[in-house]
Amino acid sequence: MDYRQAREYMDEAAKYGSVLGLENIEALLEKLQNPQDRLKFIHISGTNGKGSVLAYLSTVMKEAGYKTGRYISPTLFSYRERIQVDEEYISREDFAGLAGRVKTAVEEMLAEGKAHPTAFEMETAISFLYFVQEKCDIVVLETGLGGLLDATNVVKTTVMEVITSVSMDHIGVLGNTLAEIAAQKAGIIKENTAVVSCEQEKDAMDVIERTAAEKGCRLYVASEREAADVVYGYEEQSFSYKEYHNIRIRLAGYYQIKNAILALEAVRRLKNIGWKLTDEAVRGGFEKARWKGRFTLISREPVFIIDGAHNRDGAGQLKQSLELYFKGHRMIFIMGVFKDKEYDVIARMLAPMADKIFTVQTPDNPRALPAGELALAVSKYNNSVEAAPDIKDAVRKSIALAGGEDVIVAFGSLSFLKDIAEAVEQK
């Protein structure tokens, strides 16, 4: 099986959708001799901020000399981006070879009358095989959907669980209340491990505290209120936290200070349990960390930002960042979302800020909300809205409209941000 065939095989598996539960992934990994049991993990769940926290932690671990695996989803710019070792994507040859092993295991499962694994479950298995092959010292693992019933929760050898901001998302799938959703996120907590969380709303924090106590874990809460000397900027930011002074980060967005503090608290606890993380590695890791798709500057003339704000919490964070960095500037928005998201809530929060809004539909995605339907929803909050026929047209018109001090912001589904970035680069 070559890389093209492996990708076609994975694309075909997409028809099995998303299935919450561990039965399939456990059966698949059993066929592969449970590679995950030969690894150590930092497991991250939450609604927003998982990717940024993963970027900080994995870069710090790499800077400290540990061979570090990353498993992330969804990805923006390359399919192979989801499986990395020391920030290098899995090679086409390695992916194809390991996909072949997974295919053999799946065929054995089917012959035994078991269900076909989902594409995400198969990708997760490939990642574990690759991390074992590459002899990773640690793997920083991001949940796909939720936590308790997510395929990544098959791991049993976590050294730490990190829970980022929990808010209302995937309503009806993960739960209908904040407490129900928090229970899914806290479901990654394993017995007698270190647990680190950011400050949460009371309903969510109560669940996290209770789950940690039931598992015999000490819970550490990273408090944004303990940050000092905070300097904001959309190209560089800095802060101090406890014994760490003047930590510099390149990730933009006011909320990145909160994410960085959570990651830094996790670093402090990793040091406590024996991981050797020098001040030089910590500082270098935070400054070198990159995470595309969260308030990412992709052009300076005009200023063009992409942000994966696809739920109410993400929209609120984007709004605060825009008010912080670009108050008084004229703004042009490009917006595209999935039909199962709270797009009316997102529009109500953000649409009044813009002088002009173009709506787009993510191409070749059955979950995408049509641009015209989104424009109709947005028009309740801003009457200067236009449904663009495609993403390139929205980018072209936005850049044509933008003056020297204006700001263009493309936000919503992560799935269309790659197309936006490519269209801007072509312009």
Side-chain angles (χ1 to χ4, degrees):
M1 183 184 288
D2 61 21
Y3 181 69
R4 180 187 59 78
Q5 291 168 327
R7 283 298 311 276
E8 287 174 353
Y9 177 60
M10 300 304 294
D11 290 343
E12 177 67 17
K15 71 184 181 184
Y16 296 102
S18 175
V19 178
L20 290 176
L22 302 181
E23 185 177 352
N24 276 4
I25 187 72
E26 287 173 344
L28 176 58
L29 291 170
E30 181 71 27
K31 295 288 183 187
L32 298 165
Q33 286 77 54
N34 289 310
Q36 77 281 4
D37 292 343
R38 303 196 291 278
L39 297 163
K40 293 179 180 178
F41 297 92
I42 299 168
H43 204 179
I44 304 174
S45 72
T47 304
N48 291 310
K50 296 190 296 293
S52 303
V53 172
L54 178 145
Y56 292 128
L57 287 176
S58 56
T59 310
V60 167
M61 299 304 281
K62 177 198 169 194
E63 289 293 301
Y66 294 106
K67 198 161 195 181
T68 305
R70 289 185 178 192
Y71 183 52
I72 59 178
S73 65
T75 54
L76 296 185
F77 295 96
S78 167
Y79 179 85
R80 293 180 294 117
E81 184 182 349
R82 64 198 61 201
I83 303 172
Q84 304 177 35
V85 172
D86 286 346
E87 300 177 49
E88 295 289 332
Y89 298 176
I90 185 173
S91 71
R92 292 169 179 265
E93 294 75 20
D94 281 323
F95 184 87
L98 296 174
R101 289 179 60 184
V102 168
K103 183 174 186 287
T104 299
V106 170
E107 288 169 350
E108 291 175 7
M109 288 174 62
L110 297 177
E112 294 169 5
K114 294 184 171 71
H116 197 296
T118 66
F120 182 71
E121 289 165 337
M122 292 157 63
E123 290 160 359
T124 302
I126 290 170
S127 76
F128 294 156
L129 289 169
Y130 184 62
F131 297 142
V132 168
Q133 173 186 302
E134 296 300 303
K135 298 181 173 61
C136 288
D137 299 306
I138 189 74
V139 174
V140 190
L141 183 68
E142 177 187 356
T143 59
L145 179 62
L148 178 65
L149 301 176
D150 183 74
T152 62
N153 205 32
V154 71
V155 302
K156 301 181 178 71
T157 53
T158 52
V159 300
M160 172 179 287
E161 296 87 19
V162 181
I163 303 177
T164 69
S165 174
V166 176
S167 63
M168 298 297 288
D169 194 21
H170 298 291
I171 297 164
V173 178
L174 297 181
N176 295 306
T177 67
L178 188 60
E180 289 174 349
I181 292 171
Q184 292 293 318
K185 307 293 186 182
I188 66 169
I189 297 174
K190 305 296 185 296
E191 291 185 1
N192 302 313
T193 51
V195 182
V196 184
S197 172
C198 65
E199 292 179 310
Q200 308 278 359
E201 291 187 38
K202 185 179 185 307
D203 285 354
M205 186 56 80
D206 287 347
V207 171
I208 295 167
E209 288 175 347
R210 184 170 63 250
T211 305
E214 288 170 353
K215 298 288 187 178
C217 301
R218 177 86 181 268
L219 173 64
Y220 302 93
V221 179
S223 175
E224 195 175 0
R225 291 169 292 179
E226 294 186 58
D229 310 318
V230 177
V231 178
Y232 293 101
Y234 63 88
E235 296 195 71
E236 180 181 296
Q237 309 190 103
S238 61
F239 67 98
S240 299
Y241 179 75
K242 296 185 177 177
E243 70 270 28
Y244 289 98
H245 299 285
N246 194 33
I247 295 291
R248 297 168 64 190
I249 60 174
R250 301 286 184 181
L251 277 64
Y254 94 97
Y255 50 84
Q256 285 300 350
I257 300 296
K258 178 179 181 179
N259 290 338
I261 287 168
L262 175 58
L264 193 51
E265 187 62 47
V267 164
R268 298 177 74 240
R269 299 308 158 188
L270 286 165
K271 288 177 67 175
N272 282 356
I273 60 177
W275 295 84
K276 293 178 172 56
L277 306 175
T278 65
D279 282 1
E280 183 181 15
V282 173
R283 291 183 178 281
F286 275 85
E287 187 166 357
K288 293 176 183 177
R290 299 290 183 270
W291 190 249
K292 297 174 181 176
R294 285 296 185 189
F295 212 90
T296 304
L297 178 71
I298 60 172
S299 167
R300 290 182 175 84
E301 294 181 3
V303 170
F304 201 124
I305 304 288
I306 57 173
D307 189 278
H310 60 274
N311 53 41
R312 65 174 70 193
D313 193 36
Q317 291 175 348
L318 175 57
K319 180 179 180 181
Q320 287 183 272
S321 295
L322 292 174
E323 289 172 341
L324 175 67
Y325 300 132
F326 302 118
K327 191 169 180 137
H329 290 251
R330 177 173 172 259
M331 297 186 201
I332 301 162
F333 287 171
I334 301 174
M335 180 179 178
V337 294
F338 286 161
K339 63 182 71 167
D340 57 354
K341 296 297 181 180
E342 295 181 293
Y343 53 86
D344 189 80
V345 174
I346 297 169
R348 185 173 70 243
M349 295 171 73
L350 289 168
M353 301 179 74
D355 188 76
K356 176 74 176 182
I357 300 173
F358 296 97
T359 59
V360 296
Q361 179 175 349
T362 303
D364 305 319
N365 194 312
R367 291 176 61 197
L369 184 71
E373 196 173 333
L374 179 57
L376 188 61
V378 171
S379 67
K380 292 188 288 185
Y381 311 104
N382 186 318
N383 58 17
S384 185
V385 56
E386 178 182 333
D390 55 51
I391 287 170
K392 286 184 178 179
D393 182 76
V395 168
R396 179 180 59 79
K397 288 178 177 175
S398 296
I399 291 174
L401 274 177
E405 297 295 315
D406 297 343
V407 178
I408 304 171
V409 187
F411 65 90
S413 169
L414 289 162
S415 64
F416 84 99
L417 297 186
K418 175 186 178 182
D419 295 325
I420 291 281
E422 288 176 348
V424 171
E425 189 175 345
Q426 289 167 9
K427 291 296 290 181

